[in-house]
Amino acid sequence: MADIILGIESSCDDTSAAVIADGVLLSNVIASQQVHKDFGGVVPELASRAHEQNIVPVVSEAIRKAGIEAKDLTAIAFTRGPGLLGSLLVGTSFAKALSLSLDIPMVMVNHLQGHILASFIRQPDVPVREPSFPYLCLLVSGGNSQIVKVVSPTEYEILGQTIDDAVGEAFDKCSKMLGLGYPGGPVIDRLAQSGDPQRFHFAKPNIPGLDYSFSGVKTSLLYFVRDQMALDPHFLENNKEDLCASFQKTLIDILLQKLIRAARETRIREIAIGGGVSANSGLRDRMVAEGIKRHWNTYLPERKFTTDNAAMIAVAGWFQYKAGVRTPLDVAPVSRMADF
Ligand code: KG4
């Protein structure tokens, strides 16, 4: 009998549920919350409320689309953290209720583990191409920027991480600063496609080892734009595309410099990316180009699996389920990585 896993993701502002059967995706439903758009960022209380409204219809839809019934489920995988506590509580409590009513086990998943394992989401009729272990994953999202050595589906080693802002935060904050809106990553990505990435240059950090820093490049852009606007009030409007392309290139250069070093030092040539920022066209193109140049096997999850989704939670949960992990009913969600 196949292991049929329901995944539930509610760590931030997307309510998502997915069903996989022996690792193959049968459905992946995502309700993105539009309520935050006017606020320039996610409002935690509104997010919790929207999850509470969405969770039952989203899970029902995922089960219906998978062509199964709830009684066919083997286990429920849910995001325990990190994320917004009020949002996580909705998914966790729902998972507990369903686990009790169906009398099936729950498996808690670290949200970041989901992003790291996104390359293992198998789709019907899509040829399987998955990293072999150990591989390196460049995990880039709104809350994290890390180089992770993935030893096995349940064993990780963080080789480097940001000491201040995450790269997604740099995209979002700079977009806000330039008046381009939220979330900044997709907007900057779109504008960068018609800009000149070589036109402007921003300060790059000099951080030892494999750690990252993104706060300096943000400040460098801020001061540069401020100085140019003092000379020409239309500077921003007239140079938006080039500013975005140059800024994006700087972030990608910073990310790749350390990733290349990590690959060299570990002698690992299986390289994957994951997290919201891995949707970025410039980063994806660059990963492919560096992969060819350096003889890496490069794995880029499909764009729809880069941002928050329950398919990756179901897959990560399935790996844990197979390893014998079962989560007790008194589990509580955690907002921070350090508490995991
Ligand atoms: O992984 P994610 O959905 O949420 C977490 O942070 O866990 O990542 C969200 C981040 C945001 O900072 C958003 O601006 C960024 O991913 N992002 C992008 C793109 N799409 C989303 N950044 C750059 N280019 C994109 N196309």
Side-chain angles (χ1 to χ4, degrees), residues 89-122:
L89 274 166
V90 178
T92 306
S93 303
F94 188 88
K96 287 183 187 185
L98 198 59
S99 151
L100 274 173
S101 68
L102 296 173
D103 194 21
I104 55 173
M106 299 193 300
V107 181
M108 67 184 188
V109 171
N110 178 327
H111 179 77
L112 303 179
Q113 224 168 4
H115 280 307
I116 288 169
L117 296 172
S119 298
F120 290 89
I121 300 170
R122 293 182 189 159

Side-chain angles (χ1 to χ4, degrees), residues 46 73 100-101 105 205 227 297 307 309 322:
L46 295 180
L73 292 170
L100 274 173
S101 68
D227 294 349
N297 294 319
T307 44
N309 67 86
K322 283 194 298 180

Side-chain angles (χ1 to χ4, degrees), residues 11-12 14 111-112 115 140-144 167-169 171-172 182-187 189 248 275-281 303 306-308:
S11 64
C12 190
D14 293 301
H111 179 77
L112 303 179
H115 280 307
V140 278
S141 70
N144 288 85
V167 63
E169 233 176 317
F171 272 108
D172 293 338
Y182 175 88
V187 186
D189 188 355
Q248 180 174 293
V277 179
S278 67
N280 185 267
S281 325
R303 274 200 171 80
T306 56
T307 44
D308 292 347

Side-chain angles (χ1 to χ4, degrees), residues 159-340:
L159 303 182
Q161 59 189 326
T162 181
I163 58 166
D164 42 50
D165 289 348
V167 63
E169 233 176 317
F171 272 108
D172 293 338
K173 286 182 180 167
C174 287
S175 169
K176 203 168 177 180
M177 203 167 81
L178 301 178
L180 301 175
Y182 175 88
V187 186
I188 292 182
D189 188 355
R190 183 172 46 78
L191 290 168
Q193 287 174 30
S194 42
D196 176 2
Q198 307 289 351
R199 171 103 184 274
F200 304 116
H201 298 275
F202 304 108
K204 287 187 190 152
N206 187 9
I207 308 291
L210 295 172
D211 284 338
Y212 286 119
S213 164
F214 293 100
S215 68
V217 57
K218 188 186 65 191
T219 314
S220 168
L221 174 75
L222 173 71
Y223 288 165
F224 176 73
V225 171
R226 187 196 60 188
D227 294 349
Q228 296 300 314
M229 292 291 278
L231 302 172
D232 168 13
H234 301 292
F235 174 79
L236 190 56
E237 191 48 40
N238 293 339
N239 296 281
K240 247 184 349 215
E241 289 82 1
D242 290 349
L243 275 170
C244 287
S246 303
F247 177 64
Q248 180 174 293
K249 179 182 181 301
T250 309
L251 296 180
I252 295 170
D253 284 348
I254 297 170
L255 288 172
L256 264 295
Q257 191 212 356
K258 295 290 173 88
L259 182 63
I260 291 165
R261 186 165 157 187
R264 202 173 48 232
E265 287 178 3
T266 58
R267 297 172 187 265
I268 292 175
R269 290 196 285 118
E270 296 284 299
I271 314 283
I273 52 176
V277 179
S278 67
N280 185 267
S281 325
L283 177 59
R284 295 174 78 89
D285 291 348
R286 189 68 183 281
M287 288 287 294
V288 171
E290 294 290 345
I292 293 168
K293 190 163 136 196
R294 295 171 196 282
H295 307 290
W296 292 346
N297 294 319
T298 311
Y299 303 89
L300 313 178
E302 268 185 45
R303 274 200 171 80
K304 63 182 176 201
F305 299 131
T306 56
T307 44
D308 292 347
N309 67 86
M312 66 183 195
I313 302 302
V315 166
W318 183 54
F319 277 122
Q320 306 240 58
Y321 178 80
K322 283 194 298 180
V325 174
R326 306 289 183 266
T327 299
L329 280 165
D330 62 355
V331 66
V334 291
S335 56
R336 294 182 325 139
M337 177 81 173
D339 298 330
F340 214 91

Side-chain angles (χ1 to χ4, degrees), residues 27-67:
S27 66
N28 185 39
V29 177
I30 305 176
S32 296
Q33 304 176 0
Q34 300 306 317
V35 63
H36 310 286
K37 279 233 153 53
D38 296 340
F39 298 92
V42 177
V43 183
E45 198 172 317
L46 295 180
S48 314
R49 209 178 298 169
H51 282 304
E52 198 63 56
Q53 288 167 336
N54 292 341
I55 190 89
V56 172
V58 164
V59 170
S60 307
E61 179 74 354
I63 289 174
R64 191 190 63 75
K65 278 195 166 158

